[in-house]
Structure formats: C-alpha cells, structure tokens
Coordinates of all heavy atoms in Angstrom, one line a residue:
M1 N 0.8 -1.2 0.0 CA 0.0 0.0 0.0 C 0.9 1.3 0.0 O 0.5 2.2 -0.6 CB -0.9 0.0 1.3 CG -1.9 1.0 1.3 SD -3.1 0.6 -0.1 CE -4.3 1.7 0.3
I2 N 2.0 1.2 0.7 CA 2.9 2.4 0.8 C 3.5 2.7 -0.6 O 3.6 3.8 -1.0 CB 4.0 2.2 1.8 CG1 3.4 2.2 3.3 CG2 5.0 3.3 1.7 CD1 4.3 1.7 4.3
L3 N 3.8 1.6 -1.3 CA 4.4 1.8 -2.7 C 3.3 2.4 -3.6 O 3.6 3.2 -4.5 CB 4.9 0.5 -3.2 CG 6.2 0.0 -2.7 CD1 6.5 -1.4 -3.2 CD2 7.3 1.0 -3.0
L4 N 2.1 2.0 -3.4 CA 1.0 2.6 -4.3 C 0.8 4.1 -3.9 O 0.5 4.9 -4.8 CB -0.3 1.8 -4.1 CG -0.3 0.4 -4.6 CD1 -1.6 -0.3 -4.3 CD2 0.0 0.4 -6.1
L5 N 1.0 4.5 -2.7 CA 0.9 5.9 -2.4 C 2.0 6.7 -3.0 O 1.8 7.8 -3.5 CB 1.0 6.1 -0.9 CG -0.3 5.9 -0.1 CD1 0.1 6.0 1.4 CD2 -1.3 6.9 -0.5
G6 N 3.2 6.1 -3.2 CA 4.3 6.7 -3.9 C 4.0 6.9 -5.4 O 4.5 7.8 -6.0
V7 N 3.3 5.9 -5.9 CA 3.0 6.1 -7.4 C 2.1 7.3 -7.7 O 2.2 7.9 -8.7 CB 2.2 4.7 -7.8 CG1 1.6 5.0 -9.2 CG2 3.1 3.6 -7.8
A8 N 1.3 7.7 -6.7 CA 0.5 8.8 -6.9 C 1.3 10.1 -7.0 O 0.8 11.1 -7.6 CB -0.5 9.0 -5.7
G9 N 2.5 10.2 -6.5 CA 3.3 11.4 -6.7 C 4.4 11.3 -7.7 O 5.3 12.1 -7.7
L10 N 4.4 10.3 -8.6 CA 5.5 10.1 -9.5 C 5.7 11.2 -10.5 O 6.7 11.3 -11.2 CB 5.4 8.8 -10.2 CG 5.8 7.6 -9.4 CD1 5.6 6.3 -10.3 CD2 7.2 7.6 -8.9
R11 N 4.7 12.1 -10.6 CA 4.8 13.2 -11.5 C 5.9 14.2 -11.0 O 6.4 15.0 -11.8 CB 3.5 13.9 -11.8 CG 2.6 13.1 -12.6 CD 1.3 13.7 -12.8 NE 0.3 12.9 -12.2 CZ -0.8 13.4 -11.6 NH1 -1.1 14.7 -11.6 NH2 -1.7 12.6 -11.0
R12 N 6.1 14.2 -9.7 CA 7.1 15.1 -9.2 C 8.5 14.5 -9.2 O 8.6 13.2 -8.9 CB 6.7 15.5 -7.7 CG 5.4 16.2 -7.7 CD 5.1 16.7 -6.3 NE 6.4 17.3 -5.7 CZ 6.4 17.9 -4.7 NH1 5.3 18.1 -4.0 NH2 7.5 18.5 -4.2
K13 N 9.5 15.2 -9.4 CA 10.9 14.7 -9.4 C 11.4 14.3 -8.1 O 12.2 13.4 -8.0 CB 11.8 15.7 -10.0 CG 11.5 16.0 -11.6 CD 12.5 16.9 -12.1 CE 12.3 17.2 -13.5 NZ 13.1 18.1 -14.2
D14 N 11.0 15.0 -7.0 CA 11.5 14.6 -5.7 C 10.9 13.3 -5.2 O 11.5 12.7 -4.3 CB 11.3 15.7 -4.7 CG 9.8 16.0 -4.5 OD1 9.0 15.6 -5.3 OD2 9.5 16.7 -3.6
V15 N 9.8 12.8 -5.8 CA 9.2 11.5 -5.4 C 9.9 10.3 -6.2 O 10.0 9.2 -5.7 CB 7.7 11.5 -5.5 CG1 7.1 10.2 -5.2 CG2 7.1 12.6 -4.7
L16 N 10.3 10.7 -7.3 CA 10.8 9.6 -8.3 C 12.0 8.9 -7.7 O 12.1 7.6 -7.8 CB 11.1 10.2 -9.6 CG 11.5 9.3 -10.7 CD1 10.4 8.3 -11.0 CD2 11.8 10.0 -12.0
L17 N 13.0 9.6 -7.1 CA 14.2 8.9 -6.7 C 13.9 8.0 -5.5 O 14.4 6.8 -5.6 CB 15.3 10.0 -6.3 CG 16.6 9.4 -5.8 CD1 17.2 8.6 -6.9 CD2 17.5 10.5 -5.4
P18 N 13.2 8.4 -4.4 CA 13.0 7.4 -3.3 C 12.1 6.2 -3.7 O 12.3 5.1 -3.3 CB 12.4 8.2 -2.3 CG 12.2 9.5 -2.7 CD 12.8 9.7 -4.0
W19 N 11.2 6.5 -4.6 CA 10.2 5.4 -5.1 C 10.9 4.5 -5.9 O 10.8 3.3 -5.8 CB 9.1 6.0 -5.8 CG 8.0 5.0 -6.0 CD1 7.0 4.5 -5.2 CD2 7.8 4.2 -7.3 NE1 6.3 3.6 -5.9 CE2 6.7 3.4 -7.1 CE3 8.5 4.3 -8.5 CZ2 6.3 2.5 -8.1 CZ3 8.1 3.4 -9.5 CH2 7.0 2.5 -9.3
G20 N 11.8 4.9 -6.9 CA 12.5 4.1 -7.7 C 13.5 3.3 -6.9 O 13.7 2.1 -7.3
T21 N 14.2 3.8 -5.9 CA 15.1 3.1 -5.1 C 14.4 2.0 -4.4 O 14.9 0.9 -4.3 CB 15.8 4.0 -4.1 OG1 16.4 5.1 -4.9 CG2 16.8 3.3 -3.3
A22 N 13.2 2.3 -3.8 CA 12.5 1.2 -3.1 C 12.0 0.1 -4.1 O 12.1 -1.1 -3.7 CB 11.2 1.8 -2.5
V23 N 11.7 0.4 -5.3 CA 11.2 -0.6 -6.3 C 12.4 -1.5 -6.6 O 12.4 -2.7 -6.7 CB 10.5 0.0 -7.5 CG1 10.3 -1.0 -8.6 CG2 9.1 0.6 -7.1
V24 N 13.6 -0.8 -6.9 CA 14.8 -1.6 -7.3 C 15.2 -2.5 -6.2 O 15.6 -3.7 -6.4 CB 15.8 -0.6 -7.8 CG1 17.2 -1.3 -7.9 CG2 15.5 0.0 -9.1
L25 N 15.2 -2.0 -5.0 CA 15.6 -2.7 -3.8 C 14.7 -3.9 -3.5 O 15.1 -4.9 -3.0 CB 15.7 -1.9 -2.5 CG 17.0 -1.0 -2.5 CD1 16.9 -0.1 -1.2 CD2 18.2 -1.9 -2.4
L26 N 13.4 -3.8 -3.9 CA 12.4 -4.8 -3.7 C 12.5 -5.9 -4.8 O 12.4 -7.1 -4.6 CB 11.0 -4.2 -3.6 CG 9.9 -5.3 -3.3 CD1 10.2 -5.8 -1.9 CD2 8.5 -4.5 -3.4
V27 N 12.7 -5.4 -6.1 CA 12.6 -6.3 -7.2 C 13.9 -7.0 -7.5 O 14.0 -8.2 -7.9 CB 12.1 -5.6 -8.5 CG1 12.2 -6.4 -9.7 CG2 10.6 -5.1 -8.3
L28 N 15.0 -6.3 -7.4 CA 16.3 -6.9 -7.9 C 16.7 -8.1 -7.1 O 17.1 -9.1 -7.7 CB 17.3 -5.8 -7.8 CG 18.7 -6.1 -8.5 CD1 18.5 -6.3 -10.0 CD2 19.7 -5.0 -8.3
P29 N 16.6 -8.1 -5.8 CA 17.1 -9.3 -5.0 C 16.1 -10.5 -5.3 O 16.6 -11.7 -5.4 CB 17.0 -9.0 -3.5 CG 17.0 -7.5 -3.5 CD 16.5 -7.0 -4.8
V30 N 14.9 -10.3 -5.5 CA 13.9 -11.3 -5.9 C 14.3 -11.9 -7.3 O 14.2 -13.1 -7.5 CB 12.5 -10.8 -5.8 CG1 11.5 -11.9 -6.2 CG2 12.2 -10.4 -4.3
A31 N 14.7 -11.0 -8.2 CA 14.9 -11.5 -9.6 C 16.3 -12.3 -9.6 O 16.4 -13.2 -10.4 CB 15.0 -10.2 -10.5
V32 N 17.2 -11.9 -8.7 CA 18.5 -12.6 -8.8 C 18.5 -13.8 -7.9 O 19.0 -14.8 -8.2 CB 19.6 -11.6 -8.4 CG1 21.0 -12.2 -8.2 CG2 19.7 -10.4 -9.3
L33 N 18.0 -13.7 -6.6 CA 18.1 -14.7 -5.7 C 16.6 -15.2 -5.4 O 15.6 -14.6 -5.9 CB 18.7 -14.2 -4.4 CG 20.2 -13.7 -4.6 CD1 20.6 -13.0 -3.3 CD2 21.1 -14.9 -4.9
D34 N 16.5 -16.1 -4.4 CA 15.2 -16.4 -4.0 C 14.7 -15.4 -3.0 O 15.4 -14.7 -2.3 CB 15.3 -17.8 -3.3 CG 13.9 -18.4 -3.0 OD1 13.0 -18.1 -3.7 OD2 13.9 -19.3 -2.2
F35 N 13.4 -15.2 -2.9 CA 12.8 -14.2 -2.0 C 13.1 -14.5 -0.5 O 13.0 -15.6 -0.1 CB 11.2 -14.1 -2.2 CG 10.6 -13.1 -1.3 CD1 10.7 -11.8 -1.6 CD2 9.9 -13.5 -0.1 CE1 10.2 -10.8 -0.7 CE2 9.3 -12.6 0.7 CZ 9.5 -11.2 0.4
D36 N 13.5 -13.5 0.2 CA 13.8 -13.6 1.6 C 13.2 -12.4 2.3 O 13.3 -11.2 1.7 CB 15.3 -13.7 1.8 CG 15.7 -14.0 3.2 OD1 14.7 -14.4 4.0 OD2 16.8 -14.0 3.6
H37 N 12.7 -12.5 3.4 CA 12.0 -11.4 4.1 C 13.1 -10.3 4.5 O 12.7 -9.1 4.7 CB 11.3 -11.8 5.4 CG 10.1 -12.6 5.0 ND1 9.0 -12.2 4.3 CD2 9.9 -14.0 5.1 CE1 8.1 -13.1 4.1 NE2 8.6 -14.2 4.6
R38 N 14.3 -10.7 4.6 CA 15.4 -9.7 4.9 C 15.5 -8.7 3.8 O 16.0 -7.6 4.0 CB 16.7 -10.4 5.2 CG 16.7 -11.2 6.4 CD 18.0 -11.8 6.6 NE 18.1 -12.9 5.7 CZ 19.2 -13.6 5.4 NH1 20.3 -13.3 6.0 NH2 19.2 -14.6 4.5
C39 N 15.1 -9.0 2.6 CA 15.3 -8.1 1.4 C 14.2 -6.9 1.6 O 14.4 -5.9 0.9 CB 15.0 -8.8 0.1 SG 16.2 -10.1 -0.2
V40 N 13.2 -7.1 2.3 CA 12.2 -6.1 2.4 C 12.5 -5.0 3.3 O 12.1 -3.8 3.1 CB 10.8 -6.8 2.8 CG1 9.7 -5.7 2.9 CG2 10.4 -7.8 1.8
L41 N 13.3 -5.3 4.3 CA 13.7 -4.3 5.3 C 14.3 -3.0 4.8 O 13.9 -1.9 5.2 CB 14.6 -5.0 6.4 CG 14.8 -4.2 7.6 CD1 13.5 -3.8 8.4 CD2 15.9 -4.8 8.5
P42 N 15.2 -3.0 3.9 CA 15.7 -1.8 3.4 C 14.8 -1.0 2.5 O 15.0 0.2 2.3 CB 17.0 -2.1 2.5 CG 17.2 -3.6 2.8 CD 16.0 -4.2 3.4
V43 N 13.8 -1.6 2.0 CA 12.8 -0.9 1.2 C 11.9 0.0 2.0 O 11.5 1.1 1.5 CB 11.9 -2.0 0.4 CG1 10.8 -1.4 -0.3 CG2 12.8 -2.8 -0.5
V44 N 11.6 -0.3 3.2 CA 10.6 0.4 3.9 C 10.9 1.9 4.1 O 10.1 2.7 3.8 CB 10.4 -0.3 5.3 CG1 9.5 0.5 6.2 CG2 9.9 -1.7 5.1
P45 N 12.1 2.3 4.5 CA 12.3 3.8 4.6 C 12.1 4.6 3.3 O 11.6 5.7 3.3 CB 13.8 3.9 5.1 CG 14.1 2.5 5.6 CD 13.3 1.6 4.9
F46 N 12.6 4.0 2.2 CA 12.5 4.6 0.9 C 11.1 4.7 0.5 O 10.6 5.7 0.0 CB 13.4 3.9 -0.1 CG 14.8 4.1 0.1 CD1 15.6 3.0 0.5 CD2 15.5 5.3 -0.1 CE1 16.9 3.1 0.8 CE2 16.9 5.4 0.1 CZ 17.5 4.4 0.5
A47 N 10.3 3.6 0.7 CA 8.9 3.7 0.3 C 8.1 4.6 1.1 O 7.3 5.4 0.6 CB 8.4 2.2 0.4
C48 N 8.5 4.7 2.4 CA 7.7 5.6 3.3 C 8.1 7.1 3.0 O 7.2 8.0 3.0 CB 8.0 5.4 4.8 SG 7.3 3.9 5.4
L49 N 9.3 7.4 2.6 CA 9.7 8.7 2.1 C 8.9 9.1 0.9 O 8.4 10.2 0.8 CB 11.2 8.8 2.0 CG 11.7 10.1 1.5 CD1 11.5 11.2 2.5 CD2 13.2 10.0 1.2
A50 N 8.9 8.2 0.0 CA 8.2 8.5 -1.3 C 6.7 8.7 -1.0 O 6.1 9.7 -1.7 CB 8.4 7.4 -2.3
A51 N 6.1 7.9 -0.2 CA 4.7 8.1 0.1 C 4.4 9.4 0.9 O 3.5 10.1 0.5 CB 4.2 6.9 1.0
A52 N 5.3 9.8 1.8 CA 5.2 11.1 2.5 C 5.3 12.2 1.5 O 4.6 13.2 1.6 CB 6.2 11.1 3.6
L53 N 6.2 12.2 0.6 CA 6.4 13.3 -0.3 C 5.2 13.4 -1.3 O 4.8 14.4 -1.6 CB 7.7 13.0 -1.1 CG 9.0 13.3 -0.4 CD1 10.1 12.9 -1.3 CD2 9.1 14.7 0.0
A54 N 4.6 12.2 -1.6 CA 3.5 12.3 -2.6 C 2.2 12.8 -1.9 O 1.5 13.6 -2.4 CB 3.2 10.8 -3.1
V55 N 2.0 12.4 -0.6 CA 0.8 12.8 0.1 C 1.0 14.3 0.5 O 0.0 15.1 0.4 CB 0.6 12.0 1.4 CG1 -0.4 12.6 2.3 CG2 0.3 10.5 0.9
S56 N 2.2 14.7 0.9 CA 2.3 16.1 1.2 C 2.2 17.0 0.0 O 1.7 18.1 0.0 CB 3.7 16.4 1.9 OG 4.8 16.2 0.9
A57 N 2.6 16.5 -1.2 CA 2.3 17.3 -2.5 C 0.9 17.4 -2.7 O 0.4 18.5 -3.3 CB 3.1 16.6 -3.6
R58 N 0.1 16.4 -2.5 CA -1.3 16.4 -2.7 C -2.0 17.5 -1.8 O -2.9 18.2 -2.1 CB -2.0 15.1 -2.5 CG -1.5 14.0 -3.5 CD -2.4 14.2 -4.7 NE -2.0 13.1 -5.6 CZ -2.6 13.0 -6.8 NH1 -3.5 13.8 -7.2 NH2 -2.1 12.0 -7.6
F59 N -1.5 17.5 -0.5 CA -2.1 18.4 0.4 C -1.7 19.9 0.1 O -2.5 20.8 0.3 CB -1.7 18.1 1.9 CG -2.5 17.0 2.4 CD1 -1.9 15.9 3.0 CD2 -3.9 17.0 2.5 CE1 -2.6 14.8 3.5 CE2 -4.6 15.9 3.0 CZ -3.9 14.9 3.5
R60 N -0.5 20.1 -0.4 CA -0.1 21.4 -0.7 C -0.8 21.9 -1.9 O -1.1 23.1 -2.1 CB 1.4 21.5 -1.0 CG 2.2 21.7 0.3 CD 3.6 21.9 0.0 NE 4.2 20.5 -0.2 CZ 5.3 20.3 -0.8 NH1 6.0 21.2 -1.4 NH2 5.7 19.1 -1.0
A61 N -1.1 21.0 -3.0 CA -1.7 21.4 -4.2 C -3.2 21.7 -4.0 O -3.8 22.5 -4.6 CB -1.5 20.4 -5.2
G62 N -3.8 20.9 -3.1 CA -5.3 20.9 -3.0 C -5.7 21.7 -1.8 O -6.7 22.2 -1.5

C-alpha cells in the first residue's frame, strides 16, 4: 500500500528517486536470488519517504 501511495506522486521529481530506489531494492534481489524477508527491510524507509512526499504534495496542491 505504501508503494502505491508513492505512485500517486510520480509526476514530481522529488518522489521519483526514493520510489525508484524502493522498487529496485524490492525487485532486484527477488529477480537474482530467492525471496527472503530480509530483502524487504531496506525498502521500507525509501517507500515511506516516497509516500510522504506524494501525500504532502497532494495536500499542498489541494
């Protein structure tokens, strides 16, 4: 759900970098190795940052 909130703000450049980092950190280890729950832990801060930037942009615009 947090990654989907980040998608809402992808039109802004400041959301693109943390959201892209979160997606790469989530997809790349799964594509290379077998899925492990330890791979999700580094994704959480970047995904939360992207979601916060996207939501704050919506509140400032509206």
Side-chain angles (χ1 to χ4, degrees):
M1 189 68 171
I2 293 173
L3 285 173
L4 291 177
L5 281 174
V7 170
L10 282 181
R11 286 181 248 150
R12 297 187 46 168
K13 290 182 181 180
D14 60 346
V15 178
L16 185 62
L17 181 64
W19 187 83
T21 304
V23 169
V24 166
L25 284 173
L26 185 63
V27 172
L28 193 63
V30 175
V32 175
L33 303 169
D34 194 22
F35 179 75
D36 190 10
H37 294 290
R38 291 179 289 170
C39 297
V40 178
L41 188 61
V43 173
V44 174
F46 292 108
C48 289
L49 178 63
L53 288 172
V55 169
S56 68
R58 293 280 183 175
F59 282 126
R60 277 187 277 159

